Every structure is written in structure tokens, then in C-alpha cells.
């Protein structure tokens, strides 16, 4: 097992390793003063791991309630959120009690936001069960629900009290969902870590999960500690996301987030090569690695379509968008880019 310590507005540990779900009860108990725990999960994950989570919490002498909602992004909305708050109230959770988010990014975002709001804030523990949640959404305290006007438009910064990443839970992930998480792993390597990039080139999808998740979490931890509230360095985590968001929204969310990010990353990288920001060799290595992981690297949408949807991204500020540009592997720049230059970037990158 590896432990990564985070010291942001709250201090907490991220534990990564095999068989950690069986330690959930003692780990929650060790956070102190807790009597009641509500497990928040969804209809695919709870039947797989709910019993093990409950058994561990029960063994630690904790009183358990559960809230299980239908799996999928469509549930990450205001209705489920209010149902969850009501369930917490009905189970009479108090200020000292703890919510456990057992699932992927959808569960973590929704449960985290409920924890931030219920009784003006209670503690929560993230138990990520997807690769994306393990390397990204369970770390750093961004919580949110979707609104009809767009994804993640209501939320809060609220750090968890503990993240328990049991790598065994990834064994039941459909390969395609695992692949989606790999797009985020590749993103970290391009942003910060040439050695990790080389390791992924050598190992492909058979990479050592505990080691690679730990490395990604360390990288994200460093960013969150430098810029918890996303006003500077944390923006780099948006690499591939501006055009990726355009592609994802244009597909009306039929294309997964991971695959959209892969296309967005390939697109911005090729645009950088065309504009002399990175070398042709760097661009080829990044695009080839995405393709080697079975991720898409282009799509048949027009530049105008991608642009139109990319501009609805909430990270736009006035007439410019902060694009993250790879200069070489491990070195990316934040570049405020006028909106009227984006179309030519997309044309160069498609
Ligand atoms: P998800 O939670 O919907 O999980 C993907 C699929 O995998 C679902 O069908 C789920 O039922 C299934 N699943 C989960 N764990 C499983 C397991 N162990 N075995 C079998 N099936 C399993 O999606 P996700 O990709 O984990 O997360 C996407 C969400 O995360 C989006 O809502 C996105 O906005 C959010 N997100 C948040 C942050 C953040 O910083 N808070 C960062 C990135 C993404
Ligand atoms: N997933 C982007 C962030 O946490 O900032």
C-alpha cells in the first residue's frame, strides 16, 4: 500500500493498494468522533462492493445507512442531490458523522457536494472505484452536480477527510471505462512526467496500477497544494479539455469524457506542432501513445462545430480561453488565447 499525504485547506491521506476496502471501517473510525455513516453509491457499484463496505463499517461498530441511485451521469443532478440530503436527514446524521462515497466520479462528485451542504458541511471519505476517480476526481476537493444548462455548474470546493483507493475494485471495470481513465493518466504524464510517459509507452495498458495511480495522485496533490482553488497552476489539469469538452458536448455526451479528452489532447498537440510550439516528434509520441491505448485521436466534426461547443465551456473568460499547450513532454504552458484564434488551432489540429 502507498500513502500520499495532502496538506490543503484540510489535511488528509490518500491510500492506494490492494484489499483496502476491508480496512474502511477502522479507517473511518480512526477519523474520530463518528457514530453514523451513510454509504452513497450507485446501482452498478453497490451490488459489487456494498456488502464488503458495510461489513467493514459494521465490524468497526458504526451505524450504517445507505443511499443508492441509478448509475450514470444522468443521476448527477439536483433531484438526486436533494433526495440524498433528505436521506441524510432521515438517517439523522449529525455534524460529527461521515458520508462514504463508494463509486466512480459521479458518486464522488454528488456525495462530496452533499457533504459540503448537509448541516453546512460534514466529513466525507472517497472510495474511488474507477481509474478516473482514482487518479483525478477523488483527489482535490472539487465536488459538483450538473444543471440543465451544463455539466458541473453547481458545486463546492470541499476536501475529503480520507481517500481509500482499493485497486482490486478496478478488476470489475469494463475495459472501455478503464481506457477512459487512461486518457487522464496520459494527460498527467504529458503535463509533468516524461518518465511516466516512457513507462506508459513501454507497458501499455498493463501498467502497474498501484504505482501509476500513486504517481498520478502525487502529481495532482502537488498541484492542489499549490493552487487549491483553481486560479493558476491547477488550470493545467485542463490539458486537452477545452477542445475535448467541445467534442463531448457536440456528441451530446454520447462520446465518453475520457475519449473526448483524448481527441482534445491529440488536437491541441497537433496544433502546437503546426505552430512550432512543440516538435513534430513530441506530437507524434503523444498521439501514438493515445492510439496505442485504443483511444481515438480525431473525429469527423467540423472546426466550427467543435468551436461552438468549446466556447460554452465554463472556463472561458471574456474573449479569451486559457489553452494548455504542450511544449515538450513534461512541460506545458498556460496560454490565454483570443477566441478568434481558436478556429485556426482546431483546423491545424484535426
Ligand atoms: P462513473 O462514476 O459514471 O463510472 C463510469 C462507469 O463505471 C459507470 O457505469 C459505473 O457504474 C461503472 N463503474 C464504476 N466503478 C465500477 C467498478 N469498480 N466495476 C464495474 N463498474 C464500475 O464515471 P467516472 O468516469 O468515474 O467519472 C466521471 C465523472 O467524474 C463525471 O461526472 C465528471 O464530471 C467527474 N469528474 C470530476 C472531477 C473532479 O475533480 N471532481 C474530475 C474529473 C471528472
Ligand atoms: N479535474 C480537474 C481538477 O481537479 O482541477
Amino acid at each position: 500500500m502507498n500513502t500520499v499525504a495532502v496538506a490543503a485547506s484540510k489535511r488528509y491521506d490518500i491510500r492506494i493498494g490492494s484489499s483496502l476496502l476491508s480496512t474502511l471501517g477502522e479507517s473511518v473510525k480512526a477519523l474520530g468522533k463518528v457514530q453514523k455513516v451513510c454509504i452513497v453509491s450507485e446501482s452498478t457499484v453497490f451490488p459489487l462492493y456494498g456488502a464488503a463496505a458495510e461489513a467493514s463499517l459494521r465490524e468497526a461498530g458504526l451505524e450504517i445507512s445507505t443511499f443508492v441511485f441509478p448509475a450514470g451521469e444522468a443521476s448527477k443532478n439536483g433531484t438526486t442531490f436533494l433526495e440524498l440530503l433528505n436521506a441524510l436527514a432521515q438517517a439523522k446524521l449529525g455534524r460529527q458523522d461521515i458520508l462514504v462515497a463508494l463509486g466512480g466520479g459521479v458518486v464522488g462528485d454528488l456525495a462530496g457536494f452533499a457533504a459540503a451542504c448537509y448541516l453546512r458541511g460534514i466529513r466525507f471519505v472517497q472510495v474511488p472505484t474507477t481509474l478516473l476517480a482514482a487518479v483525478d476526481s477523488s483527489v482535490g476537493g472539487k465536488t459538483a452536480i450538473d444543471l440543465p444548462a451544463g455539466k458541473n455548474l453547481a458545486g463546492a470546493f470541499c476536501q475529503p477527510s480520507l481517500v481509500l483507493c482499493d485497486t482490486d475494485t478496478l478488476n470489475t471495470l469494463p475495459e472501455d471505462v478503464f481506457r477512459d481513465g487512461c486518457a487522464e493518466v496520459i494527460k498527467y504524464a504529458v503535463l509533468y512526467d516524461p518518465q511516466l510517459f516512457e513507462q506508459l509507452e513501454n507497458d501499455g495498458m498493463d501498467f502497474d496500477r498501484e504505482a501509476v495511480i500513486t504517481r498520478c495522485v502525487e502529481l495532482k496533490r502537488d498541484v492542489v497544494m499549490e493552487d487549491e482553488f483553481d486560479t493558476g497552476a491547477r488550470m493545467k489539469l485542463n490539458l486537452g479539455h477545452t477542445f475535448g469538452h467541445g467534442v463531448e458536448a457536440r456528441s451530446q455526451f454520447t462520446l465518453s469524457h475520457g475519449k473526448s479528452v483524448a481527441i482534445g489532447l491529440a488536437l491541441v498537440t497537433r496544433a502546437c506542432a503546426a505552430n512550432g510550439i512543440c516538435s513534430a516528434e513530441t506530437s507524434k509520441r503523444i498521439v501514438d501513445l493515445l492510439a496505442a491505448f485504443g483511444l481515438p485521436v480525431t473525429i469527423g466534426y467540423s472546426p466550427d462545430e467543435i468551436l461552438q461547443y468549446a466556447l460554452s465551456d465554463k472556463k472561458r473568460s471574456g474573449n479569451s480561453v486559457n489553452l494548455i499547450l504542450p511544449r515538450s513532454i513534461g512541460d506545458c504552458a498556460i496560454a490565454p488565447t483570443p477566441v478568434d484564434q481558436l478556429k485556426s488551432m482546431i483546423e491545424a489540429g484535426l
Side-chain angles (χ1 to χ4, degrees):
M1 179 193 72
N2 294 323
T3 301
V4 178
V6 184
S9 54
K10 181 187 264 179
R11 286 175 182 271
Y12 58 98
D13 281 350
I14 301 163
R15 294 189 201 132
I16 303 131
S18 177
S19 305
L20 286 183
L21 197 51
S22 63
T23 68
L24 177 65
E26 66 194 63
S27 303
V28 168
K29 189 101 184 172
L31 295 171
K33 293 185 184 169
V34 50
Q35 281 186 350
K36 294 182 182 177
V37 173
C38 179
I39 303 175
V40 180
S41 191
E42 40 92 313
S43 54
T44 301
V45 173
F46 193 74
L48 292 168
Y49 302 110
E54 283 185 297
S56 176
L57 290 163
R58 198 172 297 115
E59 211 171 296
L62 294 160
E63 202 180 306
I64 307 160
S65 59
T66 56
F67 179 83
V68 180
F69 60 85
E73 184 74 28
S75 289
K76 208 178 99 173
N77 59 29
T79 305
T80 320
F81 174 69
L82 284 180
E83 284 170 2
L84 172 52
L85 293 182
N86 280 316
L88 298 174
Q90 264 170 16
K92 296 190 168 35
L93 264 78
R95 273 260 169 82
Q96 310 290 352
D97 293 329
I98 290 181
L99 196 155
V100 168
L102 174 67
V106 166
V107 169
D109 276 15
L110 178 84
F113 188 37
C117 295
Y118 180 69
L119 301 180
R120 300 195 181 87
I122 64 170
R123 294 172 292 172
F124 74 112
V125 170
Q126 291 270 19
V127 184
T129 63
T130 64
L131 180 60
L132 178 140
V135 298
D136 192 357
S137 60
S138 69
V139 179
K142 280 190 183 175
T143 72
I145 56 171
D146 303 332
L147 298 181
K151 271 187 73 173
N152 296 326
L153 290 187
F157 285 97
C158 181
Q159 302 293 336
S161 295
L162 173 72
V163 182
L164 215 58
C165 174
D166 184 335
T167 48
D168 298 340
T169 63
L170 303 181
N171 293 336
T172 53
L173 264 190
E175 190 176 86
D176 211 42
V177 179
F178 186 79
R179 205 186 301 285
D180 284 337
C182 291
E184 300 288 351
V185 171
I186 293 171
K187 180 194 79 176
Y188 283 111
V190 173
L191 279 172
Y192 306 115
D193 194 337
Q195 210 179 322
L196 174 62
F197 192 94
E198 243 180 85
Q199 195 183 328
L200 297 171
E201 285 179 318
N202 293 332
D203 297 348
M205 297 249 292
D206 288 333
F207 59 79
D208 176 336
R209 292 177 179 183
E210 185 172 320
V212 167
I213 292 170
T214 301
R215 183 65 191 132
C216 292
V217 164
E218 283 170 348
L219 292 166
K220 182 153 185 186
R221 180 268 317 268
D222 293 347
V223 175
V224 168
M225 281 174 57
E226 185 182 341
D227 177 26
E228 180 173 352
F229 298 107
D230 206 8
T231 57
R234 191 165 178 168
M235 284 187 226
K236 283 196 182 175
L237 298 179
N238 209 30
L239 172 65
H241 282 59
T242 301
F243 298 144
H245 174 85
V247 167
E248 189 178 6
R250 164 63 184 81
S251 80
Q252 296 187 317
F253 298 92
T254 54
L255 195 66
S256 70
H257 180 69
K259 291 180 190 65
S260 304
V261 167
I263 294 167
L265 175 53
L267 206 157
V268 78
T269 300
R270 283 190 294 249
C272 283
N275 286 287
I277 297 164
C278 74
S279 68
E281 192 214 335
T282 295
S283 168
K284 183 174 172 357
R285 278 183 76 194
I286 294 171
V287 174
D288 284 355
L289 185 60
L290 292 165
F293 274 69
L295 290 159
V297 292
T298 191
I299 194 153
Y301 299 151
S302 72
D304 279 322
E305 287 176 307
I306 297 174
L307 181 62
Q308 180 196 336
Y309 286 96
L311 288 180
S312 67
D313 194 294
K314 64 183 178 304
K315 293 183 176 76
R316 175 179 175 176
S317 84
N319 271 337
S320 103
V321 169
N322 285 314
L323 273 190
I324 312 306
L325 305 180
R327 290 189 284 225
S328 63
I329 289 157
D331 176 23
C332 296
I334 302 174
T337 309
V339 164
D340 59 15
Q341 285 178 21
L342 292 178
K343 188 175 166 190
S344 62
M345 294 281 290
I346 299 173
E347 283 167 344
L350 266 176

